[in-house]
Amino acid sequence: MTDVQAILEKVTTKYGKQRSALMPALQAIVKEKNYLSDEDIVAVAKTFDLSTAEVYGTATFYTFLDTVPRGKYVIRVCKTISCHMSGKDEIIEALQNTLKIKVGETTVDKKFSLLTANCMGWCHKGPVMLVNDDVYPELTPQKAIEIIQSYQQK
Amino acid sequence: MENKLKKVDLIFCKTCQDDIEVVRKALQRNPDEIINEIIDSGLKGRGGAGFPTGLKWKFARAQQSDIKYVVCNADEGEPGTFKDREILDVVLTTVLAGMAIFAYCIGAKEGYIYLRAEYNFMLNKLNATVEEFNKKLKDLGLSFEIQIRSGAGAYVCGEESALFESIEGKRGEPRNKPPFPTVVGLFGKPTVINNVETFVYTAMINHLGAARFKELGTQDSRGSKVFSISGDTPKAGIYELELGMTVEDFVKEFGDGDTKAVQVGGASGHCVPRKKFENTIIGFEGIPTGGSMMLFNSSRSMYNVLKDYLEFFTEESCGQCTPCRVGCQQLLKGIEAVKRGERPASYLEELKKLAQSMRIAAKCGLGQSVANPFISIVDNFKEEIIY
Ligand SMILES: Cc1cc2nc3c(=O)[nH]c(=O)nc-3n(C[C@H](O)[C@H](O)[C@H](O)COP(=O)(O)O)c2cc1C
Ligand code: SF4
Ligand code: FES
């Protein structure tokens, strides 16, 4: 696992140490480590000379900046209206059965977390899900399962 | 009957193929002349609110400040909107040209594109194009550099002042207005923020002239607009259409033959029932829209649609002001209680009053616009809400 100091060093070299570099820093940590641990928050606060409360308060505002442990692959299924109409419930059901977890949970091997999210900008091609940054539109339950299986082998 | 709906191909046809050339020509013009042409074109913002773009630019130019910013709003979070992603994907350099021309007009040195996290998969490609474009601007002698910042999954960050807060590294909580962004914007400096699509039209007007743009649309809604069409339609997708059509024209082209309602403008927009299709204009004189058009056929329960929207707002409310934080929850609980028969049908009138108060008392556009879907759906589909 990448050391948080190394990540912060990279971010501050590019964006500096003023507060406007905070989001890129938090995003970079989540990208590498899947979530922000308490230790990470403390490290970030030190780097930017902010209180931990400020950093934590900022992070928790954003859905994609997780502060609870997440799996290596975070699955987010769109649950908003168009995807609702085109069958997101079946997709979620199929994923829950395949991964043997419920929405909001992480598999024991820490590989997958299953979450829902609001409209992702693919309403004409729903249902849709994100796996980390990658997007998968026009899903069927079968397709969704196959996609997850391909990640299982990674 | 003849269909009055007119498809247009301005945005994606790459009329400004050589975007850097468009910028180069603009640099030879007087900034006031450029801004006046945008004002003359009648272009209004394509992000939803529809503020006249030229005026916004004029205000920002008038501000005395060494530092000014140009921001492109690519947060595209309104349910049912997906056109900005396509525009960024296909004609990014035209967006950048629009930003650069504007930077020249007001004397801005830095520009930001705020991209929603859900579009991070495009980031590498976009960054490469932006970098290349920055170099070309430098070669032209224009000192203006654009960078991309990512969001992190918060709809409210599409609101302009919340977006500034987010770039500044804070919670994305909207600020009080006034002061408006053209006076106090990003990092407290005069800032112009426009939607992705708006920047493309400004580059195009600069290139083709205001007259070409004015040929299209109506007195109040000049030009064409890119629409994101989804729901019960055989033709879901992205279309550029001339403004000023009626919902009837629209449904004839995109409906599935059984359309009972169209939600114009996304979750925060208005629901138009079949009996009003004929007399409702899609545009600033009727129902303005950031481009989201969702069609519902008679198999859909409008109760479920409204409930879905209210859940969306309840989750996405930043919680900063009470009318919105509590109001969204109460509206949702309220219709659920009416549905279960725990409250009489007349309770819906109380809820409508609550929505009206939110329109006045909420701090930002999120809370203020919940009344749009709420009242238009409750008024037109009361039976579906109650039974
Ligand atoms: C809750 C909320 C979300 C918004 N989301 C967006 C958005 O995703 N994209 C956008 O361009 N404008 C959005 N807006 C409107 C912006 O505040 C702003 O008016 C717009 O970016 C101005 O650009 P324009 O004049 O070119 O439309 C949102 C407004 C509110 C209140
Ligand atoms: S209206 Fe809602 S989203 Fe806007 S500031 Fe108030 S609580 Fe936040
Ligand atoms: S509703 Fe699912 S992507 Fe828009």
Side-chain angles (χ1 to χ4, degrees), chain B residues 26 57 83 88 92 115 121 139 142 148 182 189 194 204 313 323 345 361 369 378:
Chain B
W57 289 25
K83 47 109 188 159
L88 291 171
L92 174 61
L115 184 77
F121 72 97
D139 291 343
L142 182 69
I148 302 178
T182 45
K189 301 294 177 191
N194 276 127
M204 235 159 47
F313 288 121
S369 58
V378 168

Side-chain angles (χ1 to χ4, degrees), chain B residues 60-80:
Chain B
R61 177 163 163 78
Q63 289 296 316
Q64 296 295 328
S65 172
D66 292 347
I67 303 174
K68 295 180 185 177
Y69 294 102
V70 178
V71 179
C72 172
N73 191 338
D75 197 48
E76 189 161 64
E78 188 65 51

Side-chain angles (χ1 to χ4, degrees), chain B residues 111-281:
Chain B
Y112 287 88
I113 297 176
Y114 187 87
L115 184 77
R116 68 182 308 204
E118 290 81 349
Y119 294 168
N120 273 352
F121 72 97
M122 302 168 74
L123 209 47
N124 285 342
K125 185 183 147 190
L126 298 183
N127 266 324
T129 311
V130 167
E131 226 166 88
E132 203 184 312
F133 202 84
N134 280 339
K135 277 200 200 108
K136 289 186 183 164
L137 290 179
K138 207 170 163 196
D139 291 343
L140 282 184
L142 182 69
S143 151
F144 177 63
E145 216 174 279
I146 299 169
Q147 53 175 305
I148 302 178
R149 287 301 172 94
S150 285
Y155 164 67
V156 72
C157 286
E159 197 279 338
E160 48 201 24
S161 60
L163 189 153
F164 300 152
E165 292 285 308
S166 181
I167 295 183
E168 290 175 15
K170 302 178 197 147
R171 294 166 65 87
E173 292 174 347
R175 302 172 182 166
N176 278 320
K177 280 189 246 179
F180 290 99
T182 45
V183 183
V184 180
L186 185 60
F187 301 117
K189 301 294 177 191
T191 303
V192 157
I193 176 163
N194 276 127
N195 175 257
V196 174
E197 186 186 342
T198 312
F199 278 116
V200 178
Y201 281 115
T202 59
M204 235 159 47
I205 290 165
N206 190 78
H207 180 56
L208 301 175
R212 173 75 186 90
F213 186 77
K214 284 203 292 191
E215 280 167 20
L216 298 167
T218 62
Q219 179 78 27
D220 289 330
S221 309
R222 287 278 179 228
S224 51
K225 154 118 205 60
V226 184
F227 286 87
S228 314
I229 300 168
S230 69
D232 295 312
T233 162
K235 296 184 185 170
I238 295 159
Y239 298 84
E240 184 176 357
L241 304 171
E242 179 176 10
L243 285 171
M245 65 195 149
T246 63
V247 178
E248 176 108 337
D249 298 332
F250 176 83
V251 168
K252 251 188 227 155
E253 175 72 23
F254 294 99
D256 62 358
D258 186 25
T259 309
K260 82 166 169 191
V262 180
Q263 180 77 13
V264 182
S268 65
H270 296 260
C271 182
V272 183
R274 190 181 285 151
K275 62 177 186 286
K276 292 185 185 160
F277 284 175
E278 204 183 335
N279 295 320
T280 307
I281 293 176

Side-chain angles (χ1 to χ4, degrees), chain A residues 78-84 118-123 126 128, chain B residues 79-80 82:
Chain A
C78 173
K79 62 168 182 200
T80 311
I81 185 79
S82 288
C83 291
H84 197 164
N118 281 321
C119 181
M120 301 171 179
W122 292 90
C123 325
V128 53
Chain B
F82 39 87

